[in-house]
């Protein structure tokens, strides 16, 4: 939003609402995606008989 404003683009109520709503959606969806990928990675790891913990760059 800030970059668009600095480049001369219009910033109206729709832009502000979009930023707020998309942030909320990502905040709810990201942990669910991490849960799903953990499940898939554990299943793939069990096929290789590897019981190591899944290492990620970010943890919640």
């Amino acid at each position: 939003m800030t970059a668009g404003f600095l480049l001369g683009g219009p910033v109206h109520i729709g832009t502000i609402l979009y930023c707020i709503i998309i942030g909320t959606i990502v905040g709810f969806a990201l942990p669910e995606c991490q849960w799903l990928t953990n499940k898939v990675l554990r299943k793939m790891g069990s096929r290789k008989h590897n019981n190591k913990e899944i290492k990620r760059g970010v943890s919640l």
Side-chain angles (χ1 to χ4, degrees):
M1 183 168 80
T2 305
F5 176 73
L6 291 175
L7 291 171
V11 177
H12 298 288
I13 189 71
T15 308
I16 296 168
L17 286 175
Y18 177 79
C19 289
I20 292 170
I21 291 170
I22 199 71
T24 305
I25 291 171
V26 169
F28 283 114
L30 204 58
E32 296 300 320
C33 291
Q34 186 175 10
W35 173 82
L36 180 63
T37 56
N38 282 343
K39 185 176 177 181
V40 170
L41 290 173
R42 280 192 189 104
K43 188 174 280 192
M44 289 174 62
S46 66
R47 289 180 186 166
K48 296 178 183 179
H49 305 291
N50 187 0
N51 293 328
K52 292 182 181 178
E53 184 177 328
I54 298 170
K55 303 220 177 197
R56 292 181 173 260
V58 178
S59 63
L60 297 175

